[in-house]
Amino acid sequence: MTQHEPTRQPADPRTVAIAGLMTVAWYAVPDVVRPRWGRALAKTAVGAAGVALMLTATAEGREARDGVRSLRDAVREVGTPSPDAPVDVPPDDVALGDGPDDVVREDNTYVPDHDDVTLAPPAVLAAGAVGGVALATTLAVAGEKWAYRRGERLRARGVRLPHTRVGLALGALAVALAAAEPLLWNAEDR
């Protein structure tokens, strides 16, 4: 019996480069643009350019675009009824009202019992989603504030291009994470 060796694909160099350059540019903005509104505009441009480059120039971007297209096509298929399909009729192998929780609505639409599917209540799912977004936002804002304050402390000490220096350090971290990402996913194969 042969052991399955995990396939280790190296990181796409374009992804690594875009992650590093976008991070440096993002954090260097306060050295180039002083007004707060101008920084917001410049960071929006940097973010949009980074996303556009990722989607157009990397393998992951092409995969993401293909995934969105296939999802769009699947949604269109589900939303478009077949002209041959009967409307509001249960499947032939299921008798109407066969299950204990089956429902036939007043408009004669059939709602089968789905005992095999257990989902959390919608309120729990919504609360989890809101909590996850709130936590991610809180961490992102805290990280942004830390990086900005660090740059301002360096500026107060007279360091030239202080935010760019913070950006270089964080850009190196982004490069390392982008390069390590395929290895982290392939660790599951072992």
PDB file of all heavy atoms in Angstrom, residues 38 40 89 99 114 131 166:
ATOM      1  N   GLY A  38      -8.232  62.899   1.916  1.00  0.00           N
ATOM      2  CA  GLY A  38      -7.343  62.477   0.838  1.00  0.00           C
ATOM      3  C   GLY A  38      -6.766  61.087   1.097  1.00  0.00           C
ATOM      4  O   GLY A  38      -6.620  60.283   0.169  1.00  0.00           O
ATOM      5  N   ALA A  40      -8.263  58.754   2.838  1.00  0.00           N
ATOM      6  CA  ALA A  40      -9.365  57.809   2.608  1.00  0.00           C
ATOM      7  C   ALA A  40      -9.513  57.526   1.121  1.00  0.00           C
ATOM      8  O   ALA A  40      -9.684  56.374   0.705  1.00  0.00           O
ATOM      9  CB  ALA A  40     -10.660  58.346   3.198  1.00  0.00           C
ATOM     10  N   VAL A  89     -46.608  20.742  -8.246  1.00  0.00           N
ATOM     11  CA  VAL A  89     -47.010  19.350  -8.104  1.00  0.00           C
ATOM     12  C   VAL A  89     -45.889  18.613  -7.393  1.00  0.00           C
ATOM     13  O   VAL A  89     -44.724  18.745  -7.762  1.00  0.00           O
ATOM     14  CB  VAL A  89     -47.270  18.716  -9.495  1.00  0.00           C
ATOM     15  CG1 VAL A  89     -47.590  17.245  -9.367  1.00  0.00           C
ATOM     16  CG2 VAL A  89     -48.373  19.463 -10.203  1.00  0.00           C
ATOM     17  N   GLY A  99     -45.723  12.701   4.940  1.00  0.00           N
ATOM     18  CA  GLY A  99     -44.981  12.858   6.187  1.00  0.00           C
ATOM     19  C   GLY A  99     -45.821  13.572   7.222  1.00  0.00           C
ATOM     20  O   GLY A  99     -46.789  14.266   6.901  1.00  0.00           O
ATOM     21  N   HIS A 114     -38.697  17.833   5.888  1.00  0.00           N
ATOM     22  CA  HIS A 114     -37.259  17.647   5.709  1.00  0.00           C
ATOM     23  C   HIS A 114     -36.625  17.263   7.025  1.00  0.00           C
ATOM     24  O   HIS A 114     -35.906  18.044   7.638  1.00  0.00           O
ATOM     25  CB  HIS A 114     -36.609  18.928   5.158  1.00  0.00           C
ATOM     26  CG  HIS A 114     -37.043  19.273   3.780  1.00  0.00           C
ATOM     27  ND1 HIS A 114     -36.641  18.568   2.688  1.00  0.00           N
ATOM     28  CD2 HIS A 114     -37.870  20.232   3.319  1.00  0.00           C
ATOM     29  CE1 HIS A 114     -37.176  19.084   1.607  1.00  0.00           C
ATOM     30  NE2 HIS A 114     -37.926  20.092   1.962  1.00  0.00           N
ATOM     31  N   GLY A 131     -21.934  38.615  14.690  1.00  0.00           N
ATOM     32  CA  GLY A 131     -20.828  38.552  15.650  1.00  0.00           C
ATOM     33  C   GLY A 131     -19.488  38.367  14.967  1.00  0.00           C
ATOM     34  O   GLY A 131     -18.491  38.996  15.343  1.00  0.00           O
ATOM     35  N   VAL A 166       6.676  51.466   8.606  1.00  0.00           N
ATOM     36  CA  VAL A 166       5.702  50.539   9.186  1.00  0.00           C
ATOM     37  C   VAL A 166       5.124  49.669   8.066  1.00  0.00           C
ATOM     38  O   VAL A 166       4.976  48.450   8.224  1.00  0.00           O
ATOM     39  CB  VAL A 166       4.588  51.303   9.934  1.00  0.00           C
ATOM     40  CG1 VAL A 166       3.470  50.369  10.357  1.00  0.00           C
ATOM     41  CG2 VAL A 166       5.156  52.031  11.139  1.00  0.00           C
TER      42      VAL A 166
END
